[in-house]
Amino acid sequence: MGPGFDSIGIALNLYNRFYMEECDCIDISAKNGENIPNDETNLIYQCAKKVYDICGTPMPGLRLIEDCSIPQTRGLGSSSACTVAGLIGANALLGGPLHQENIIDLAAAIEGHPDNSTPAILGGFCTSLLEYGKVWSVRVPIADKVDFVAFIPNFELATETARQALPQTIPHKDAVFNLSRAALLTGSLVTGDLHNLSAAVGDCLHQPYRFGLIPDGEEIVKSANGLGALGTFLSGAGPTIIAMVDKEDKTYYSRACMYFADRFPDWTPVLLACDEVGATVEQCD
């Protein structure tokens, strides 16, 4: 989220759902017919097998059906959702030998940073860091005053490409700029002091470098703010852009849909809210 590069994330109510069971082969499919890896290269399968390996249990095979609503390579945490699904699904199949803390650490180690995977597991608004294989995190509920509108484009931006756009070093003043805004963003969302958000989303570490990879990206931010957003930021590595909106502004979403349909038809506004629960597992009959 904005200045919280690789450290601050929030769970929103956009979901991937997966059906998993042991079988004597690898049987992977997508509910809606998407083109997905259907062998050992599938990320969910790899994460599930890692849990079996850690627990010292041979994995006989896996039947997996994917039902994904999170668009891939859009900066919305689709890979983290798949990583978390493989880990918690396999753990459930084995009877729960790993504690939630173990799952959090494993997910962040696989992802390389915890800002997506930790809120995907815990729900809510999370600040976290990964140090020597362990995740240190705080999960707090945010004030129930904010909705989120994700502006999702019809084009992709690979995370690796977005990473390559970043400089190796930054000026000291840019680090201070982000530290102060990350703290202000956290305090504002927790307390509901919303007037700070327009300043709190400022960033010098990644957004200025990545907007060059996103056609119309900066215009999208200006338009979202012009329609009345409290603050707008690049979601993850992009290209999705998220606007924070006052819940009392009941017409923001409809205004955004009409404006974007006319001016930016390649971008789709999606109204979202914070998910305070996180990943769940249900046993099927």
Side-chain angles (χ1 to χ4, degrees):
M1 295 183 70
F5 178 69
D6 280 0
S7 60
I8 296 177
I10 190 168
L12 301 177
N13 60 343
L14 187 61
Y15 306 111
N16 286 351
R17 293 177 172 87
F18 307 94
Y19 173 85
M20 299 172 63
E21 67 174 339
E22 290 184 348
C23 67
D24 58 2
C25 63
I26 299 176
D27 180 9
I28 301 174
S29 61
K31 184 175 181 180
N32 297 314
E34 296 97 334
N35 184 23
I36 60 171
N38 59 3
D39 54 18
E40 293 92 342
T41 63
N42 183 282
L43 177 60
I44 304 164
Y45 174 86
Q46 291 177 342
C47 293
K49 188 173 187 306
K50 181 176 280 292
V51 172
Y52 275 74
D53 291 344
I54 289 172
C55 295
T57 303
M59 188 173 182
L62 185 70
R63 177 170 292 112
L64 169 66
I65 302 174
E66 302 187 18
D67 183 7
C68 298
S69 296
I70 304 175
Q72 296 183 16
T73 57
R74 299 296 203 284
L76 287 164
S78 62
S79 65
S80 285
C82 291
T83 297
V84 168
L87 297 177
I88 67 170
N91 193 50
L93 290 174
L94 288 169
L98 301 182
H99 298 296
Q100 187 180 68
E101 182 179 340
N102 304 132
I103 300 293
I104 290 172
D105 292 345
L106 268 174
I110 292 168
E111 284 288 300
H113 40 81
D115 57 316
N116 282 342
S117 55
T118 302
I121 296 168
L122 296 178
F125 176 84
C126 298
T127 61
S128 51
L129 64 88
L130 176 64
E131 185 175 61
Y132 303 118
K134 176 175 174 53
V135 172
W136 302 84
S137 67
V138 175
R139 177 214 178 278
V140 293
I142 64 170
D144 189 26
K145 296 183 178 181
V146 181
D147 281 329
F148 299 84
V149 175
F151 297 95
I152 306 175
N154 63 5
F155 56 85
E156 301 177 354
L157 175 59
T159 301
E160 183 179 350
T161 301
R163 287 267 169 188
Q164 291 173 350
L166 303 181
Q168 293 297 311
T169 60
I170 59 166
H172 184 273
K173 64 180 179 63
D174 286 354
V176 174
F177 183 98
N178 268 63
L179 284 170
S180 59
R181 281 157 180 79
L184 185 63
L185 176 65
T186 301
S188 299
L189 286 175
V190 171
T191 63
D193 196 351
L194 304 183
H195 79 279
N196 291 321
L197 292 179
S198 61
V201 293
D203 166 78
C204 284
L205 298 187
H206 72 110
Q207 293 184 147
Y209 306 101
R210 288 171 165 169
F211 273 124
L213 303 174
I214 304 171
D216 293 325
E218 292 179 293
E219 290 302 314
I220 300 300
V221 171
K222 291 177 183 177
S223 297
N225 289 336
L227 288 165
L230 299 168
T232 307
F233 57 87
L234 198 60
S235 179
T240 295
I241 291 166
I242 293 183
M244 293 180 286
V245 181
D246 192 330
K247 277 186 180 290
E248 297 300 315
D249 187 351
K250 302 299 184 182
T251 65
Y252 181 92
Y253 178 62
S254 59
R255 296 197 310 271
C257 287
M258 288 187 291
Y259 184 87
F260 273 70
D262 181 50
R263 303 291 184 87
F264 301 103
D266 292 337
W267 296 72
T268 302
V270 178
L271 180 62
L272 301 169
C274 180
D275 179 304
E276 296 286 3
V277 177
T280 59
V281 178
E282 296 178 6
Q283 183 172 346
C284 300
D285 294 331

